[in-house]
Amino acid sequence: MSAQFGKRLRKGAATTTVAAIAVAALAASQAPGVTTDSAGRRQATDSSAPDAASGADDTATGNSRYYTDLPPLDSPTATPGTDGDTSDITAGAERGIPATVLDAYKKAEAALRESKPGCNLPWQLLAAIGKVESGQARGGRVDDDGTTYSKILGPVLNGGQFATIRDTDNGAYDGDSTYDRAVGPMQFIPSTWEWAGRDGNGDGRKDPNNIYDAALAAGNYLCRFDWDLSDQRDLRRAILSYNNSTHYLNTVLSWLEYYRKGTHEVPDGTGTLPRNPSDGGTSGASANPSPSPRGTQRPTPPKDSADTPKPGNPGTGGGDSGTPAPPSTPPGTTPPGTTPPTPTDTVDHLENAGTGTLTAMAGDAFAEKVAVRTETKAGQAVAKVRVRFTVVGDTDATFTGGESVATVVTDSAGTATAPALQAGEKTGGFTVRATVVGRAVPGLDFKATVTARQADALARTTDTALTCVPGGEFAEQVEVKATYKGGIADGVAATATLIKSADDPAENDKGPYFKDADGKAVRTLTSLTTGKDGLLKLPKLYADDTTGTFLLRITTTGGATLTIELKVAAAESASPSPSA
């Protein structure tokens, strides 16, 4: 892949003189409570702080840390700053995106245009989120394949400043076998990456540290609810599903608008780094520049909290810790130096929450959903616990949205319900496995079955009599329509046979016949399939020298049968003219 991507990009893009761009109108797009620093960079004040943590269980990030830096105000002339920089140079550097990172965003947009065209994902949105999450992969410090030279890791999620998320990957991605950490330029924690991960550079791996993989994963995440991102309300919902904070929304929208006004490619490793994490920590060269641990939930579509903002909590940021940190424990309740147990810590086992029989025909949605309940040893329900559902086995069945893994947070009754299952074309059995994220308790397996497509009725599309002279061919081809419970039965397997009689379904050895590819007579056709409209049109029929009435029988999976009459008779001779 190094050759494939390395040669395609100009890693050492020639430095160009940055022209000052007059876009004073950009000021009007600033979020409320925004000021500028001495270099012209826009900063958010406390008035635009993140919302309170309400609804965090319905977000991908758990409302943890992110970068609050806003785009600079472009100036038509070079204005020296107090540190010797100029605002136009600063603006040009901020507007530039490292070559490989920019290429990854554009390739992700192109891929989503093919797989989910109704989403209308703009690459500038990925660029805006990438800027807020990791400063464009630390200014584009990536190799020729798009993999970061060193891991970009978020804070340890050990219940300190952030929520407690115990290890889910045995340290495979984040190097921590006790707690989870966010990984990569788009900041996914391991349990989220398991279902959201994608292979964006075609190397056969899904690596959260690779900008091509991470950008494609982020694009699919934003498009997972069939939102139309060209619609402003759906765009807001998608961003808020990444981090349910009005401040985060405004920050991302500011960068989105900035990049839409124009951007350019800069050499890898030369991009600017953000300075201001939302929790007020430092983000200098010695600090970890990856702020936001990515959340693990596969939630229901969130409400647009920006339309109904809740009181802010200055000093706390949105981000990616998966679940918000629990409230402070009153003095004396917990012994000093100990960590209060999380809801996950109290789970003893999983119980079936009423899941019925899981059966569907190929191509159909399953009517039943898998539901489980998390319980303590005493049988009490446990809320706010992440449950992972995994499709296991030789199957192409998936959850809605095409994922084979879904993570759901239990509700107040301790119940987690998986997304609807969608059957593929592969028939047979498979398993849906439910496990508790971050807790080593036995999982629950649910057996599911995909049956072949079926039809329960067949009918000809015309009532024209099917006749032929000996040695000739039938003028009309046989066409039938298959239905199942009154609806179109598409993709149903069928067989057509010229039979001996109504009571003897054995293949006839005389009378009408079909022709194979070599022109030889055949009287049984297999591997037939109805089309999308349920229609099946048979090849031409021919007649040998035998006259009489013959039968064609068509059968389908599911038991539908239709017997059609064929007649072979000599042509009637012309009537003699009357004598004069």
Side-chain angles (χ1 to χ4, degrees):
M1 294 307 299
S2 295
Q4 179 180 353
F5 286 88
K7 293 180 181 179
R8 188 177 305 163
L9 300 172
R10 297 172 57 199
K11 304 300 179 185
T15 303
T16 59
T17 302
V18 181
I21 305 172
V23 285
L26 183 63
S29 69
Q30 291 184 172
V34 170
T35 61
T36 60
D37 63 12
S38 59
R41 288 185 176 86
R42 296 190 292 170
Q43 309 271 333
T45 66
D46 286 348
S47 64
S48 59
D51 294 336
S54 59
D57 286 342
D58 293 330
T59 70
T61 67
N63 299 347
S64 188
R65 192 171 68 185
Y66 58 90
Y67 284 115
T68 64
D69 300 48
L70 290 167
L73 293 173
D74 290 343
S75 173
T77 57
T79 304
T82 57
D83 57 359
D85 292 336
T86 59
S87 61
D88 63 323
I89 294 175
T90 299
E94 290 283 14
R95 194 182 295 281
I97 298 176
T100 300
V101 179
L102 180 60
D103 186 59
Y105 295 149
K106 291 184 176 181
K107 280 185 167 57
E109 178 196 58
L112 268 297
R113 192 183 304 124
E114 291 292 326
S115 62
K116 298 183 178 180
C119 181
N120 293 306
L121 172 79
W123 66 261
Q124 292 92 340
L125 176 59
L126 297 177
I129 291 176
K131 180 70 174 182
V132 169
E133 297 294 347
S134 68
Q136 312 297 21
R138 290 178 175 168
R141 289 165 176 80
V142 296
D143 64 18
D144 288 345
D145 288 335
T147 303
T148 57
Y149 287 116
S150 59
K151 289 184 177 180
I152 302 177
L153 296 174
V156 177
L157 303 179
N158 58 3
Q161 185 175 2
F162 301 100
T164 300
I165 299 183
R166 301 197 182 279
D167 175 66
T168 60
D169 67 330
N170 199 28
Y173 290 115
D174 55 15
D176 192 327
S177 59
T178 305
Y179 297 97
D180 270 347
R181 303 178 68 177
V183 182
M186 303 304 276
Q187 291 288 278
F188 288 94
I189 69 171
S191 56
T192 300
W193 185 257
E194 183 173 348
W195 65 265
R198 293 293 190 278
D199 176 15
N201 63 353
D203 64 356
R205 300 174 60 241
K206 300 176 183 179
D207 183 1
N209 302 292
N210 182 279
I211 185 58
Y212 288 98
D213 295 358
L216 185 58
N220 275 277
Y221 185 91
L222 293 165
C223 291
R224 69 197 184 285
F225 289 127
D226 295 327
W227 281 322
D228 178 1
L229 301 187
S230 66
D231 178 88
Q232 188 66 18
R233 188 172 180 85
D234 279 356
L235 173 65
R236 291 160 67 89
R237 288 193 181 105
I239 297 171
L240 287 166
S241 80
Y242 220 81
N243 186 310
N244 191 19
S245 158
T246 302
H247 184 180
Y248 183 89
L249 172 69
N250 290 337
T251 305
V252 170
L253 287 176
S254 294
W255 282 106
L256 172 60
E257 178 68 14
Y258 191 72
Y259 287 136
R260 276 177 166 166
K261 288 180 180 294
T263 187
H264 59 275
E265 175 185 303
V266 299
D268 286 348
T270 66
T272 60
L273 295 177
R275 302 177 179 181
N276 303 288
S278 60
D279 65 349
T282 60
S283 58
S286 62
N288 185 352
S290 58
S292 45
R294 186 91 292 111
T296 62
Q297 294 86 346
R298 185 168 179 75
T300 54
K303 295 180 180 178
D304 191 347
S305 69
D307 291 337
T308 54
K310 294 186 170 121
N313 183 10
T316 63
D320 319 321
S321 59
T323 305
S328 301
T329 305
T333 302
T334 304
T338 63
T339 301
T342 66
T344 302
D345 294 332
T346 67
V347 175
D348 177 75
H349 59 273
L350 285 169
E351 288 286 343
N352 185 346
T355 305
T357 302
L358 299 171
T359 303
M361 284 199 306
D364 287 353
F366 283 73
E368 281 285 328
K369 293 182 179 180
V370 178
V372 298
R373 185 171 54 256
T374 53
E375 294 184 354
T376 66
K377 190 172 183 179
Q380 295 178 325
V382 185
K384 296 186 179 181
V385 173
R386 286 168 294 137
V387 175
R388 180 181 301 131
F389 298 94
T390 307
V391 175
V392 180
D394 184 17
T395 182
D396 55 358
T398 63
F399 295 113
T400 301
E403 309 293 347
S404 59
V405 179
T407 303
V408 179
V409 178
T410 57
D411 59 19
S412 59
T415 300
T417 302
L421 282 165
Q422 177 67 42
E425 294 304 319
K426 187 173 292 185
T427 60
F430 64 95
T431 299
V432 178
R433 180 166 298 153
T435 56
V436 178
V437 177
R439 182 73 169 164
V441 298
L444 281 183
D445 284 353
F446 298 86
K447 299 301 181 183
T449 304
V450 178
T451 62
R453 294 173 183 259
Q454 300 178 24
D456 57 14
L458 285 170
R460 283 189 65 196
T461 57
T462 68
D463 56 3
T464 306
L466 298 168
T467 61
C468 183
V469 297
E473 67 179 51
F474 287 81
E476 182 175 330
Q477 290 177 245
V478 175
E479 183 180 63
V480 298
K481 183 172 184 178
T483 56
Y484 182 76
K485 295 182 178 179
I488 291 174
D490 61 319
V492 178
T495 300
T497 305
L498 279 306
I499 61 175
K500 289 185 175 181
S501 69
D503 298 325
D504 186 356
E507 180 182 292
N508 208 340
D509 57 359
K510 58 186 178 182
Y513 61 91
F514 301 104
K515 288 183 180 180
D516 64 12
D518 297 324
K520 296 180 180 180
V522 293
R523 291 185 168 89
T524 298
L525 297 178
T526 58
S527 303
L528 302 172
T529 306
T530 61
K532 291 183 179 180
D533 50 8
L535 296 179
L536 173 63
K537 192 169 189 176
L538 301 183
K540 282 188 176 182
L541 277 163
Y542 301 86
D544 61 13
D545 294 333
T546 309
T547 59
T549 299
F550 302 90
L551 298 178
L552 169 65
R553 180 164 291 172
I554 304 173
T555 60
T556 69
T557 304
T561 301
L562 178 65
T563 302
I564 301 171
E565 199 172 80
L566 308 172
K567 290 185 178 181
V568 179
E572 295 182 3
S573 59
S575 301
S577 58
S579 57

